[in-house]
Amino acid sequence: MKQLGVLDTAFINLEHPNTPQHVGGLGIYDPSTAPGGFVRFKGVIANFERRLLKHTIFRSRLLKVPGNVDRPYWVEDANFDVEFHIRHIALPQPGDWRQLCILVARLHARPLDMNRPLWEAYIIEGLDNIPGVPKGGFAIYTKMHHSLVDGAGGSSIMSVIHDLEPDPAAVPQAPEVVTVDVAPGTMYLAGSAAVNNIKNSVKMLTGGVSVLRDLGKMAVGMAQKKIPIPSIKSPRTRFNTPVGPYRVFEAAEFELADVKFLKDASKVKINDVVLSVIAGGLRRYLEHHNELPDESLSVSIPLDMRTRRGLTDENNQVGSVFVELHTNIADPLERLAAVYKSSQEAKIYGENSPLVDVLRLAGVMSPAITTSLVSSYVNNGLTRHLPLGISSVVSNVAGPNFPLYSAGAQMVRYYGLGLLTPGVGLFHLIFSSNGIMTMSILGDRNAMPDPAFYRECIEQSFDELLAAAKNIANTGSAAKSNSTPAPAPAKRSAAKSSVAKKAASSSASSASAKKPAVTQAVKKPVARKAKSASSAKASASASVNGAVADDTKVVPIKNTVS
């Protein structure tokens, strides 16, 4: 039995039917790598069960303290049934990308059963009309409560539920020893709660003094202009209305080589490229709806606090800072430079501000008090009256740079899903693995009734930025040359012109001429470029970082709907 940490408890206390506090992921798998070339549902269950035996957290449920006066405990569930947590479903005909997105959005909107271990998995078949999905391919959608894992720990959880080779039977098995906890009695929990409340009071007092000291240092740094002042007065958008219980899901896909080219050409970080692409997408989307503010929008960026706090026994070690997106700048390269400057300022602020840990307040107070405040806050729509205008949360997670398998089937794509908070109805989760970067879009259905259009805006924003960067690179190369441009550079110029033209147009037909980044499968511009399945497969096989062998069959998965 183990008591939850402060931040882990915060996510339990913030749980509400409209804003459940779980995160998720959608993986697509190629069964041809499995022994015999196919996978049975029983094999997937056996694979999950075998691996979960080694990690008690997936077999543990919450045990609340009487009166909810103290942080709850994890206890290993004596009645744990893996088949309750893994469900087998199929898409209805015709089984296309749009149906998969709708299904995943519905599954992600449902709160977890807080009386059982806080995770679920769905094996989804019937992906017959999603171009690029391998024959017989299937998807696995998983969701787990944020109290179990944060974003930085998500990749390690992926390795927990996957194998590193296609034949799990070839991995030596340890003796299966399953332990369970005997739940303590009411008197024991009440006594522990009394002791813990005294300890917490002392910690809050000393912590409050420490926070005041750090705030004083930060104020001095701001006065001396050594610490930048964050922008907290960004304009509010449709994503700052009270969040409802329904969700939408979409995803775009980019070749990591193109993202790295943008990073190197502009001398910025990959996060800056991502933020600039999102800025361009939001700009296009809100402009289309005649809702684009004149001032810059801002987003919240989760921070991995492990480097600040060191290793702890908490599942969550996350903070957050605000970054301006400069959506008021039309030029994509100027906007990228401005985003880079803002992100560097946010980094300095995050390193010096105790406020990046503000989420811990939801776990410090008694759960009985916090849950009542959260219910009142959400049910009365108090987000309407808050001054903060954070349009989205953007989380970037680096995935494993090696193949993963489930019951022998290789994972060829992965899309992460975050969570929505009462005042922020849009979440972007970026996941990079084996030369492909996916950008998953989770939104409140009322705030974003047209997620496919927003995906197109994101894709066009990326194309526009890539075309502009290539234009500068080609112009610089031509300026350095003393001779007349050779046919090869001329051909690159033509390709560049085609990309720029496509980025400026929302027409799918004009987009079909674009050639770069063939492996951007789910990314609509890529899908339009890769009309040839054979060329798309060839490009996908040649992974950017060489981590995927030529025969791993990493194929472009298109999310376009015919």
Side-chain angles (χ1 to χ4, degrees), residues 140-159:
I140 299 181
Y141 161 76
T142 56
K143 65 178 177 182
M144 58 189 66
H145 204 273
H146 212 316
S147 58
L148 292 175
V149 61
D150 62 15
S155 57
S156 62
I157 293 300
M158 286 185 62
S159 63

Side-chain angles (χ1 to χ4, degrees), residues 68-84:
N68 227 7
V69 296
D70 193 13
R71 301 195 307 273
Y73 292 83
W74 293 119
V75 294
E76 292 188 50
D77 190 1
N79 298 315
F80 174 72
D81 180 8
V82 69
E83 294 192 28
F84 172 84

Side-chain angles (χ1 to χ4, degrees), residues 404-415:
L404 295 177
Y405 302 86
S406 178
Q410 183 180 344
M411 185 179 74
V412 295
R413 288 294 185 275
Y414 184 82
Y415 312 94

Side-chain angles (χ1 to χ4, degrees), residues 400-403 410 433-435 541-550 552:
N401 199 19
F402 46 82
Q410 183 180 344
S433 178
N434 288 332
S541 297
S543 176
V544 176
N545 50 22
V548 181
D550 291 342
T552 52

Side-chain angles (χ1 to χ4, degrees), residues 353-364:
S353 172
L355 299 180
V356 297
D357 252 352
V358 68
L359 184 61
R360 294 176 65 87
L361 288 175
V364 170

Side-chain angles (χ1 to χ4, degrees), residues 136-405:
F138 62 95
I140 299 181
Y141 161 76
T142 56
K143 65 178 177 182
M144 58 189 66
H145 204 273
H146 212 316
S147 58
L148 292 175
V149 61
D150 62 15
S155 57
S156 62
I157 293 300
M158 286 185 62
S159 63
V160 167
I161 61 177
H162 289 88
D163 291 292
L164 301 181
E165 51 190 285
D167 187 2
V171 180
Q173 300 298 305
E176 296 184 2
V177 178
V178 179
T179 60
V180 296
D181 288 324
V182 178
T186 302
M187 293 300 295
Y188 174 85
L189 292 174
S192 298
V195 174
N196 289 336
N197 285 333
I198 295 175
K199 292 180 179 179
N200 290 339
S201 298
V202 175
K203 288 182 179 179
M204 287 181 66
L205 180 61
T206 57
V209 173
S210 177
V211 168
L212 290 174
R213 183 185 67 246
D214 292 342
L215 285 174
K217 291 181 180 178
M218 186 179 68
V220 172
M222 287 180 174
Q224 297 175 347
K225 297 185 178 180
K226 294 180 180 180
I227 300 176
I229 301 175
S231 174
I232 59 174
K233 295 183 178 179
S234 297
R236 298 170 64 83
T237 66
R238 59 169 57 208
F239 305 115
N240 299 120
T241 55
V243 172
Y246 305 113
R247 302 289 179 263
V248 292
F249 167 75
E250 259 290 355
E253 187 171 302
F254 310 99
E255 190 175 357
L256 197 55
D258 286 340
V259 179
K260 290 182 177 179
F261 167 79
L262 288 169
K263 171 185 75 76
D264 296 335
S266 303
K267 295 180 174 58
V268 297
K269 306 293 185 182
I270 287 182
N271 274 346
D272 304 318
V273 175
V274 169
L275 292 175
S276 187
V277 170
I278 292 172
L282 282 171
R283 177 183 172 87
R284 286 174 178 268
Y285 182 82
L286 294 175
E287 202 168 35
H288 173 82
H289 290 286
N290 298 316
E291 297 175 4
L292 180 64
D294 294 331
E295 301 84 8
S296 169
L297 301 180
S298 294
V299 294
S300 175
I301 307 294
L303 294 179
D304 183 5
M305 302 298 290
R306 288 169 173 82
T307 55
R308 174 180 291 194
R309 299 186 195 132
L311 295 177
T312 72
D313 59 353
E314 291 197 46
N315 296 325
N316 283 272
Q317 299 181 48
V318 61
S320 63
V321 294
F322 303 149
V323 178
E324 284 192 80
L325 291 183
H326 299 281
T327 48
N328 53 338
I329 300 178
D331 183 88
L333 292 179
E334 290 181 14
R335 185 169 60 241
L336 176 57
V339 167
Y340 172 72
K341 182 175 182 297
S342 292
S343 65
Q344 292 302 302
E345 292 176 349
K347 179 181 178 182
I348 296 173
Y349 173 80
E351 291 172 347
N352 293 276
S353 172
L355 299 180
V356 297
D357 252 352
V358 68
L359 184 61
R360 294 176 65 87
L361 288 175
V364 170
M365 294 184 293
S366 164
I369 297 175
T370 306
T371 52
S372 298
L373 291 175
V374 169
S375 295
S376 177
Y377 174 74
V378 176
N379 295 339
N380 294 300
L382 298 182
T383 55
R384 303 177 190 273
H385 310 293
L386 293 180
L388 293 179
I390 306 304
S391 296
S392 177
V393 178
V394 181
S395 179
N396 194 343
V397 178
N401 199 19
F402 46 82
L404 295 177
Y405 302 86

Side-chain angles (χ1 to χ4, degrees), residues 51-95:
R51 302 191 68 84
L52 294 181
L53 284 173
K54 304 176 183 178
H55 300 273
T56 59
I57 191 64
F58 290 99
R59 294 184 282 109
S60 299
R61 62 176 177 84
L62 283 176
L63 176 65
K64 293 185 177 182
V65 175
N68 227 7
V69 296
D70 193 13
R71 301 195 307 273
Y73 292 83
W74 293 119
V75 294
E76 292 188 50
D77 190 1
N79 298 315
F80 174 72
D81 180 8
V82 69
E83 294 192 28
F84 172 84
H85 295 270
I86 304 179
R87 291 90 185 268
H88 190 191
I89 57 179
L91 287 181
Q93 292 295 326

